[in-house]
Amino acid sequence: VVLQPAPAVTYHIIGGILDFYVFLGNNPEQVVQEYLELIGRPFLPSYWSLGFQLSRRDYGGIEGLTSVVNRTRAIKIPYDVQYSDIDYMEEKKDFTYDKEHFKGLDQFAEELHSKGQRYIIILNPGISKNMSYGPYENGSRKRIWVSGATGPVIGKVWPGPSVFPDYTNPEGTQWWIDELVKFHEELNFDGIWMDMNEVADFLNNESLCEHNELNYPRFVPKILDRKLFAQTLCMDTEQHWGLHYDVHSLYGYSMAIATAKAMENIFPKKRSFILTRSTFAGSGKFAAHWLGDNEASWNDLQWSIPGILEFNLFGIPMVGANICGFALNTSEELCRRWMQLGAFYPLSRNHNGPGLMDQDPAAFGRNSVLLNSAIHYLNIRYNLLPYLYTLFFRAHFRGDTVARPLVHE
Ligand SMILES: *[C@@H]1O[C@H](CO)[C@@H](O)[C@H](O)[C@H]1NC(C)=O
Ligand SMILES: *[C@@H]1O[C@H](CO)[C@@H](O)[C@H](O)[C@H]1NC(C)=O
Ligand SMILES: *[C@@H]1O[C@H](CO)[C@@H](O)[C@H](O)[C@H]1NC(C)=O
Ligand SMILES: *[C@@H]1O[C@H](CO)[C@@H](O)[C@H](O)[C@H]1NC(C)=O
Ligand SMILES: *[C@@H]1O[C@H](CO)[C@@H](O)[C@H](O)[C@H]1NC(C)=O
């Protein structure tokens, strides 16, 4: 897409489906309001989800997880939500938890609830292709995996060889609802964090996709490896809504819709929380978004600001970046500044990658400058929460932005 000085916009396209709408508001806020009237206005977040959230990959089992929760509480940092990344799972399989390293995770969730806190777990779309794994057996019986000419697509993601549910298929949605409802009886989570739903596949092998016009169109945009199927499914695979070629960008969107339906089943008449990495126009009606795997760098701290402002234009105002950075070890100064900035993100979540130094505020020590500063700024956030909640109400009710650039004022 090329912006011309004329002024004009030029699209160089290779095919697919394009729908054009033009919104003519009198000011930027009105343009966003009109756009959101078409695609769906954002969900109203539960009040608790506006609190400070803590997450990391590889807590080191239930002991590590509990000790971080304990030290964060002991230091009296405002803190409402705890996450678990894929390390809680057994062999990284959805709808399981590691009964050895995370023994008593069900009680851990109840203990959080007893302190008025909430618990969010990660789920990925990739389902382990394992004959003795219930979700795989049940989904295979219902034939809900995305399939090509030779049967279900077999990719490779966290649990190893995996299949991918077609959330655009009503049967696929029902299967997802059933599995979530059943797993919730085992582990009392309050929200779902969905990752890898672009949909991502670790395999990236030429020989996996047939030579045809869909997988190898004559012109290919400047994307990874110049392949439309790079680290995702072959374009000629089929889904209920159409060819993957046409509906690829809707994978995360359809997963958000299916997950929202599951949450309505689990929490009738209550709001829960869905956080998604992949989004499309309209995803904000169902899910919040974080800006993906950033790194602990000043550059990524800076870029989180335009990222958040942009997602407000896209109708996904419940958005934030991983505070203190996901990849690379953070530093005291960077993390301190990021906690200060992140206290004013619509979605305020500190999240860290595997094998890296701890970056939860309490890890820096009881009398650290970082900790005192984090508590100071989070208290300002919590004092302002009624106003933030009002902004989200206006976003939900009439399509306003929550975080907006000055030009909107
Ligand atoms: C966390 O605190 C609880 C009680 O507040 C205690 O029972 C538990 O042993 C602590 N766990 C760790 C790992 O510090
Ligand atoms: C299949 O699942 C079973 C039960 O969880 C596990 O013991 C086994 O290692 C898995 N097999 C593969 C190939 O992943
Ligand atoms: C999946 O199928 C098994 C029987 O093979 C059944 O026990 C289980 O409840 C099913 N799971 C769901 C979520 O329906
Ligand atoms: C790609 O797949 C072919 C056939 O399955 C296999 O022989 C080859 O080693 C694979 N290449 C890579 C880079 O994984
Ligand atoms: C980050 O720090 C940890 C320990 O503090 C260390 O083990 C690890 O190697 C470091 N990783 C990187 C990428 O610097």
Side-chain angles (χ1 to χ4, degrees):
V1 181
V2 185
L3 188 61
Q4 311 270 13
V9 178
T10 303
Y11 281 73
H12 298 269
I13 64 166
I14 61 164
I17 299 167
L18 293 159
D19 296 317
F20 286 93
Y21 296 82
V22 177
F23 303 101
L24 302 169
N26 291 320
N27 55 55
E29 278 298 289
Q30 278 181 14
V31 173
V32 175
Q33 286 167 352
E34 288 168 14
Y35 174 49
L36 301 199
E37 188 150 341
L38 177 76
I39 65 165
R41 282 186 283 263
F43 73 96
L44 181 64
S46 40
Y47 199 65
W48 58 261
S49 68
L50 303 184
F52 178 59
Q53 314 191 351
L54 203 49
S55 178
R56 80 160 294 158
R57 170 118 160 252
D58 289 355
Y59 269 106
I62 191 80
E63 282 287 315
L65 176 58
T66 316
S67 71
V68 171
V69 172
N70 281 6
R71 75 183 174 210
T72 307
R73 269 188 205 143
I75 225 119
K76 293 198 164 43
I77 204 156
Y79 157 52
D80 276 84
V81 183
Q82 180 60 48
Y83 283 69
S84 278
D85 203 332
I86 51 173
D87 44 301
Y88 81 87
M89 296 176 182
E90 180 192 279
E91 297 169 321
K92 302 196 171 69
K93 291 194 291 232
D94 281 358
F95 314 117
T96 67
Y97 73 85
D98 186 333
K99 299 278 178 359
E100 191 187 330
H101 298 104
F102 284 89
K103 189 165 179 283
L105 192 62
D106 51 341
Q107 289 146 36
F108 169 81
E110 297 309 344
E111 204 269 339
L112 285 178
H113 294 152
S114 75
K115 295 277 199 308
Q117 293 177 299
R118 310 294 167 135
Y119 184 46
I120 297 178
I121 56 166
I122 198 167
L123 285 178
N124 297 308
I127 295 296
S128 172
K129 189 182 176 302
N130 182 323
M131 302 305 170
S132 54
Y133 172 48
Y136 175 69
E137 284 179 82
N138 296 5
S140 299
R141 209 176 303 121
K142 292 186 152 197
R143 299 170 176 271
I144 47 108
W145 315 127
V146 178
S147 297
T150 56
V153 177
I154 299 156
K156 192 167 174 241
V157 270
W158 296 119
S162 301
V163 290
F164 302 93
D166 179 5
Y167 296 100
T168 73
N169 177 346
E171 290 283 325
T173 294
Q174 192 54 51
W175 164 85
W176 185 246
I177 294 171
D178 292 345
E179 295 297 342
L180 265 160
V181 167
K182 188 168 166 232
F183 188 54
H184 186 258
E185 287 162 12
E186 201 180 330
L187 184 62
N188 193 359
F189 56 81
D190 302 284
I192 295 295
W193 167 28
M194 321 189 303
D195 197 13
M196 305 288 284
N197 53 356
E198 287 70 25
V199 52
D201 183 351
F202 296 151
L203 294 182
N204 192 15
N205 188 335
E206 294 280 350
S207 62
L208 291 171
C209 298
E210 260 181 58
H211 265 270
N212 57 38
E213 270 288 300
L214 294 170
N215 293 328
Y216 294 90
R218 250 164 294 170
F219 304 101
V220 182
K222 205 163 135 192
I223 53 171
L224 184 68
D225 293 350
R226 291 253 175 201
K227 284 187 286 191
L228 289 187
F229 55 83
Q231 306 227 312
T232 189
L233 312 183
C234 301
M235 292 297 129
D236 59 353
T237 56
E238 288 172 40
Q239 296 191 235
H240 192 75
W241 281 354
L243 287 165
H244 194 70
Y245 180 90
D246 287 323
V247 302
H248 171 77
S249 301
L250 303 178
Y251 194 90
Y253 176 70
S254 62
M255 187 185 186
I257 295 173
T259 307
K261 287 198 174 125
M263 298 309 243
E264 280 165 24
N265 267 265
I266 297 170
F267 305 102
K269 298 195 174 132
K270 273 174 78 179
R271 284 170 283 159
S272 62
F273 191 70
I274 302 170
L275 180 62
T276 182
R277 192 167 75 182
S278 171
T279 60
F280 192 74
S283 289
K285 190 173 173 185
F286 309 99
H289 178 64
W290 88 104
L291 296 171
D293 297 354
N294 61 357
E295 61 178 35
S297 69
W298 292 101
N299 192 56
D300 279 7
L301 174 149
Q302 182 178 351
W303 275 101
S304 72
I305 299 169
I308 285 167
L309 297 178
E310 281 170 350
F311 270 85
N312 275 264
L313 304 183
F314 306 156
I316 311 175
M318 188 59 176
V319 58
N322 295 324
I323 295 170
C324 299
F326 172 80
L328 306 180
N329 279 325
T330 197
S331 68
E332 194 274 347
E333 187 190 3
L334 176 64
C335 191
R336 171 160 42 88
R337 291 302 201 177
W338 215 325
M339 284 297 299
Q340 293 167 358
L341 172 65
F344 302 100
Y345 285 170
L347 171 74
S348 187
R349 185 179 79 138
N350 177 321
H351 175 53
N352 195 6
L356 299 169
M357 62 178 265
D358 286 348
Q359 64 183 33
D360 56 291
F364 292 85
R366 197 169 264 279
N367 296 314
S368 62
V369 180
L370 184 146
L371 184 64
N372 288 321
S373 153
I375 291 173
H376 176 76
Y377 286 98
L378 284 172
N379 277 328
I380 295 176
R381 176 189 183 82
Y382 273 67
N383 276 315
L384 295 175
L385 282 190
Y387 298 93
L388 184 60
Y389 197 48
T390 301
L391 288 171
F392 274 109
F393 174 75
R394 288 180 181 161
H396 175 65
F397 194 67
R398 59 181 202 203
D400 295 17
T401 55
V402 169
R404 67 183 72 128
L406 278 177
V407 67
H408 282 226
E409 294 293 321

